[in-house]
Amino acid sequence: MRDLPLALTMGDPAGIGPEITAGAWNALREEGPVFAWLGDPGCLPSSLPVREIETIEQAASVFRKALPVLPLALPASVRAGEPDSANSHTVIDSIARAVGLALAGAAGGVVTNPISKAVLRRAGFPHPGHTEFLAELCLVPGREIMMLASPMLRVVPVTIHVSLRDALDRLDEEMIVEAGRTTALALQRDFGIASPRLAVAGLNPHAGEGGMMGREEIEMIIPAITRLKAEGIDVYGPLPPDTMFTDAARAKYDAALCMYHDQALIPIKTLDMANGVNVTLGLPVVRTSPDHGTAFDIAGKGIAESSSLVAALRLAGILSRNRQKYTEGFLV
């Protein structure tokens, strides 16, 4: 078994991506995991040692001395904090090439720097975000599941990048079942948890209070839990969302299925914002990203914190190795 280099995308070059990439390389240059950055070296900090490479396989040989870069030229000059949609096609190309390297077995996984959905949308990008685009590139549209993971908590929102009103309209039993199946498999295959435990959040206050505060638990969530249990998955709930994230409650499960975006992301960002990592489940490749956005307001000021990107790279290395062991039939 060998550790393959990770492919790190450029992200929006006017955001904090270049700065946190430099910080991540400085933090990981001695211990790894090894990664190569796909982007225009001209937008990286001038103090950063950079080595352009022709193939990602060359990354390991230069990583300790310089950041390996697979160069992509930007058509427009970059000014920190001032995004330009003229550069969007190169940003998108960076993502597509990183996924291509992972699908080809040349990269151990994909780690994505933050993008601006609004900037890409102006250039005709049709996807709500990274997650949906990655699923399309991997030819598994609709099977993508978002997890936010940290040493303190793992959460999976069943509905993601839609308004709360739309989330309530879209949520159904089948979505919960699919999210539970995908999460359980990922915990085994990628996180190395032999017998994963899932907790399921209720949708309504007090998990519906037996139907007094809403019937979604009775008509949708409990039937989904029953089906998952019948498939041999260790799952329980629905739990009142206001009490399931305490220290004592979190000790009883390995991941929490939540019904909508903020129900999942508020607790993990409150508990462990610095170490939170976005993980896309349901793909044939490993993908992680930092749990924050482009931060245009502080870009170029030298104050961006790289801890979440460092955590994303470290976790991608672990997931890649675990998935390789699982695929080759080794217990993890």
Side-chain angles (χ1 to χ4, degrees), residues 14 31 34 64 157 159 233 251 285:
E31 57 173 313
V34 172
R64 288 199 172 191
T159 60
I233 296 173
V285 301

Side-chain angles (χ1 to χ4, degrees), residues 6 20 42 85 91 117 136 166 185 194 213 243 293:
L6 303 171
I20 62 175
S85 60
V91 173
K117 302 175 186 69
E136 180 179 280
D166 286 346
L185 174 60
M213 298 184 183
T243 58

Side-chain angles (χ1 to χ4, degrees), residues 8 10 21 25 35-44 48-56 58-59 62-63 66-73:
L8 176 62
M10 177 167 55
T21 294
W25 176 77
F35 63 90
W37 188 73
L38 283 71
D40 191 325
C43 64
L44 291 165
L48 181 70
V50 170
R51 183 79 56 84
E52 292 189 20
I53 57 177
E54 295 180 357
T55 67
I56 197 169
Q58 297 170 333
V62 305
F63 189 74
L67 172 68
V69 173
L70 289 165
L72 297 173

